[in-house]
């Protein structure tokens, strides 16, 4: 199995790990969750943080099999949207206005 990334999307930080098939951490990144810019800024930050963790692992992001995202609140896995997460202002009214178009999401989970 190819390496994959995991994202812990919190209200104050975004933690990324890149792991192998045995869940050995190959690379990681931790960045503050943007407080402005809405969902698009969060998606951009996740994309850059995944790239940073992959770089630390010595991997290109296109070598990752996918990305799992853990975040509080409801999700729409078909559209890749978080719905009104309690710790992320701007993701409101049932639609965040932004999905995760630059990431190949293979799993969503609620924390």
């Amino acid at each position: 199995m190819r390496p994959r990334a995991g994202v812990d999307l919190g209200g104050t930080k975004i933690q990324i790990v890149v792991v192998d098939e045995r869940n050995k951490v190959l690379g990681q990144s931790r960045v503050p969750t943007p407080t402005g810019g809405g969902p698009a800024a969060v998606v951009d930050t996740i994309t850059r943080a995944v790239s940073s963790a992959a770089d630390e692992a010595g991997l290109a992001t296109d070598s990752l099999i996918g990305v799992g995202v853990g975040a509080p609140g409801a999700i729409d896995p078909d559209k890749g949207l978080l719905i009104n997460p309690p710790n992320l202002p701007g993701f409101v009214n049932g639609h965040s206005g932004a999905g995760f178009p630059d990431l190949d999401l293979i799993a969503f989970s609620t924390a």
Side-chain angles (χ1 to χ4, degrees):
M1 180 184 291
R2 294 187 349 222
R4 58 209 178 275
V7 177
D8 175 6
L9 175 55
T12 59
K13 60 96 178 140
I14 298 169
Q15 176 78 38
I16 312 292
V17 293
V18 172
V19 298
D20 66 12
E21 65 277 355
R22 295 179 186 223
N23 294 322
K24 177 184 175 193
V25 175
L26 305 173
Q28 56 188 323
S29 175
R30 182 179 175 134
V31 295
T33 303
T35 57
V42 173
V43 171
D44 181 60
T45 300
I46 290 171
T47 302
R48 287 185 285 112
V50 168
S51 180
S52 177
D55 286 346
E56 183 178 292
L59 301 168
T61 54
D62 63 2
S63 71
L64 301 174
I65 193 168
V67 178
V69 178
I75 57 151
D76 181 338
D78 294 329
K79 294 180 181 176
L81 298 175
L82 298 173
I83 310 296
N84 299 326
N87 61 341
L88 296 169
F91 288 75
V92 295
N93 299 326
H95 192 281
S96 72
F100 294 88
D102 296 327
L103 303 176
D104 178 20
L105 296 178
I106 58 170
F108 258 98
S109 66
T110 55

